[in-house]
Amino acid sequence: MPNRSTPLVPLTALLLLAGCAKADVAKNTDTAAAAAATAGSVAPAIVNIVATDYRFDAPDTISAGLVSLRLVNNGKEMHHVQLVRITGGKTYAELMDGMKNAPPGSPPPPWVETVGGPNVPGSADGQIVTQELTPGSYAMLCFIPSPDGMPHVMKGMSHALTVVPATGPAATVPTADVTVSMSDYAWEVSTPITAGKHVFRLVNTAAQDHEMVIVRLNPGKTMMDFAQWAEKQVGPPPAVPVGGTAGMPKGVVAYVPLEFTPGEYAMLCFIPDAKDGKPHVAHGMMKAFTVS
């Protein structure tokens, strides 16, 4: 969920693409742990989140520290996890009641903080996002709309999460080979992205929230085609999802394992702008790149 000055339903929900991935979590490869594993290191704990239409199956309580959130989609529709932290002594129930009663486009209350989370998975293995979580009360939300236009969260797709103080050793930060910095309104990528597996270190250096949506463009399509399609979602999508993160506030760092095949790609942010409410892609926050 974006910051207070942004609408309640972020435009990352516009990422509706065909073909939801099916997967059994027990069979998934621990990509994040493999990225972090070195001699004597402690891999981040894996928090498995299974999405169906319209619910999350996930733990109710996890330990604080560096954790890997893995979203697997077993639903027919697309799903993501926007993780938010509930502050000010407020509760998950108060958050959900407030969302039900708020007019469309209302800003979130000041006691709700965006945290991050995995965006739409690009494969049956799911999407992993590794980041630091502090103790507190959280909520997992899905803002992606159904064909009827109603966001999944309004159909009950949310889950309360309590993060308790950690008692074990601190986990080792994953080893990243690509660093991506988000600003208002640009992307800075440390090195050309090549075919194969990578671990992105994603950091938001901007004052506003930003997300990372990566798609593989269909032949002959452009990132502008996708950005325009996302406004109304009419006809077949001109791209397929690769992965990414949900909305992240300033200063947050996330580690994202991704895999690329040769082709044309785009990196976009659909979070509404704090000043005019337009999606950040309308301010130029999209970047095309070629993977060879």
Side-chain angles (χ1 to χ4, degrees):
M1 184 179 297
N3 58 35
R4 186 179 182 184
S5 59
T6 31
L8 186 62
V9 180
L11 291 187
T12 184
L14 293 175
L15 184 57
L16 277 178
L17 301 171
C20 288
K22 303 282 195 281
D24 180 353
V25 171
K27 296 180 181 179
N28 286 333
T29 302
D30 188 356
T31 308
T38 57
S41 68
V42 177
I46 299 293
V47 178
N48 288 312
I49 306 166
V50 179
T52 52
D53 307 329
Y54 302 99
R55 61 173 290 164
F56 290 121
D57 289 317
D60 297 327
T61 303
I62 63 172
S63 294
L66 194 67
V67 300
S68 292
L69 304 174
R70 172 164 51 193
L71 174 63
V72 173
N73 188 7
N74 282 346
K76 294 181 180 180
E77 298 185 32
M78 305 299 289
H79 300 295
H80 70 177
V81 173
Q82 177 64 71
L83 190 65
V84 300
R85 190 170 187 267
I86 304 167
T87 68
K90 301 295 184 178
T91 66
Y92 169 80
E94 288 177 297
L95 171 62
M96 301 315 298
D97 287 343
M99 292 182 66
K100 290 178 182 178
N101 297 323
S106 298
W111 42 269
V112 173
E113 298 176 351
T114 307
V115 176
N119 219 313
V120 180
S123 74
D125 289 333
Q127 177 62 71
I128 292 175
V129 172
T130 300
Q131 59 185 113
E132 194 83 21
L133 298 183
T134 58
S137 177
Y138 292 76
M140 299 179 186
L141 310 170
C142 181
F143 287 108
I144 294 179
S146 292
D148 61 8
M150 182 178 291
H152 294 164
V153 66
M154 303 308 292
K155 297 187 176 187
M157 194 161 186
S158 64
H159 185 83
L161 177 68
T162 300
V163 179
V164 299
T167 57
T172 303
V173 172
T175 301
D177 61 323
V178 179
T179 296
V180 180
S181 297
M182 300 185 290
S183 63
D184 297 331
Y185 306 92
W187 307 87
E188 183 177 343
V189 183
S190 64
T191 186
I193 301 170
T194 58
K197 296 181 178 181
H198 299 277
V199 176
F200 281 26
R201 180 182 182 271
L202 179 67
V203 57
N204 184 7
T205 64
Q208 297 193 51
D209 289 2
H210 291 295
E211 66 175 345
M212 180 176 70
V213 176
I214 297 181
V215 296
R216 189 177 192 276
L217 299 168
N218 293 340
K221 300 298 182 180
T222 68
M223 63 180 181
M224 186 59 69
D225 292 331
F226 177 75
Q228 293 174 345
W229 173 87
E231 292 182 5
K232 297 183 179 180
Q233 303 167 37
V234 176
V240 294
V242 174
T245 68
M248 294 169 45
K250 181 180 180 179
V252 168
V253 177
Y255 296 85
V256 189
L258 296 163
E259 185 170 4
F260 297 88
T261 56
E264 300 299 322
Y265 291 80
M267 188 179 296
L268 310 97
C269 177
F270 290 97
I271 297 289
D273 191 70
K275 296 179 180 179
D276 59 18
K278 295 180 180 179
H280 288 162
V281 291
H283 290 270
M285 196 167 182
M286 50 184 171
K287 181 181 182 68
F289 62 97
T290 301
V291 173
S292 56

